[in-house]
Amino acid sequence: GENVEQHPSTLSVQEGDSAVIKCTYSDSASNYFPWYKQELGKRPQLIIDIRSNVGEKKDQRIAVTLNKTAKHFSLHITETQPEDSAVYFCASNTGGFKTIFGAGTRLFVKA
Amino acid sequence: EPEVTQTPSHQVTQMGQEVILRCVPISNHLYFYWYRQILGQKVEFLVSFYNNEISEKSEIFDDQFSVERPDGSNFTLKIRSTKLEDSAMYFCASSGRGFNQPQHFGDGTRLSIL
């Protein structure tokens, strides 16, 4: 069945450094890849998404890249701040009605 | 900004009892979803719903689960006979027209089975 692998499970960076989270999906029909940020006890919130006809997308300090051939996509956060500390989930949607989430990355940004 | 709202925020139920979780999706959205998140784990897809019928469901969504859109605004998840392992946070989400539109999540209902 469909699967999304996410690495690392935990990431600790110094404030101002960059953070990179990587995901791999299995279903070649996947064509939409959202990223969610979840703070403790809160709802997942969409922070950026990318569709399969695009290789890269940027929104201020956040960027996402997609390599369809390798079935990899990555989240890049530059100039990290303490408020970026949260759990980040990648996800994959096959274009139908099913979204598969990765296991999550707990990001700690140390001041 | 419009939001997905869920009630109740916390539900405590005895094992074997039926429970109904309620959601009001964003008003002009057409696609509705339920997800489950066991404490400290990932978000798991349960079911999607469009045009008054289930579009897709996961292996988790067995015969104990059902969904309904009883009127023009509510979207409900029913668990017929709850088990201890049903304890989790349940999130409702909705998205607008077309495929691959961003999903907006509600704040979730924490379900505790005793």
Side-chain angles (χ1 to χ4, degrees):
Chain A
E2 307 98 332
N3 189 39
V4 176
E5 298 283 341
Q6 182 171 349
H7 301 281
S9 57
T10 306
L11 180 59
S12 185
V13 300
Q14 205 66 40
E15 181 179 3
D17 287 350
S18 294
V20 180
I21 302 170
K22 299 183 179 184
C23 289
T24 303
Y25 60 96
S26 62
D27 189 343
S28 56
S30 296
N31 57 16
Y32 175 63
F33 307 91
W35 285 87
Y36 290 88
K37 175 183 180 182
Q38 188 178 33
E39 296 175 350
L40 190 62
K42 300 282 184 66
R43 70 176 82 176
Q45 289 199 297
L46 181 74
I47 54 171
I48 196 168
D49 58 9
I50 190 168
R51 291 177 174 78
S52 59
N53 58 347
V54 175
E56 185 172 354
K57 184 176 177 180
K58 191 173 181 181
D59 182 4
Q60 299 182 0
R61 296 186 297 110
I62 295 172
V64 58
T65 59
L66 171 64
N67 181 332
K68 281 177 58 181
T69 304
K71 298 182 189 170
H72 290 169
F73 58 115
S74 301
L75 178 72
H76 304 251
I77 306 174
T78 58
E79 299 170 32
T80 53
Q81 301 164 2
E83 50 266 39
D84 294 330
S85 297
V87 179
Y88 290 81
F89 291 97
C90 63
S92 163
N93 182 308
T94 60
F97 299 99
K98 189 173 186 179
T99 301
I100 304 299
F101 282 72
T105 296
R106 188 171 297 277
L107 175 65
F108 297 95
V109 180
K110 295 177 286 187
Chain B
E1 185 176 328
E3 288 191 342
V4 175
T5 56
Q6 290 186 243
T7 54
S9 56
H10 191 190
Q11 174 81 45
V12 182
T13 302
Q14 292 288 331
M15 186 172 60
Q17 295 296 304
E18 174 182 288
V19 66
I20 297 176
L21 309 183
R22 301 181 191 280
C23 169
V24 179
I26 294 172
S27 62
N28 62 348
H29 282 185
L30 301 177
Y31 301 85
F32 314 119
Y33 313 85
W34 282 102
Y35 293 90
R36 177 181 86 174
Q37 188 177 32
I38 295 169
L39 187 63
Q41 298 187 23
K42 70 176 178 180
V43 178
E44 297 176 290
F45 171 83
L46 292 179
V47 66
S48 56
F49 192 88
Y50 169 70
N51 200 25
N52 283 319
E53 59 183 24
I54 289 175
S55 302
E56 201 149 358
K57 59 184 180 179
S58 71
E59 320 74 59
I60 302 168
F61 195 90
D62 61 22
D63 292 343
Q64 294 299 310
F65 291 85
S66 62
V67 289
E68 194 178 27
R69 188 152 164 82
D71 52 43
S73 59
N74 290 284
F75 179 51
T76 62
L77 174 70
K78 182 194 290 187
I79 308 175
R80 243 177 292 283
S81 177
T82 50
K83 303 186 282 282
L84 293 175
E85 53 265 37
D86 293 328
S87 295
M89 181 73 90
Y90 288 80
F91 290 105
C92 173
S94 69
S95 62
R97 299 177 181 274
F99 295 111
N100 299 333
Q101 296 300 308
Q103 292 181 28
H104 298 258
F105 281 71
D107 284 332
T109 293
R110 179 164 298 286
L111 179 63
S112 300
I113 307 300
L114 305 179

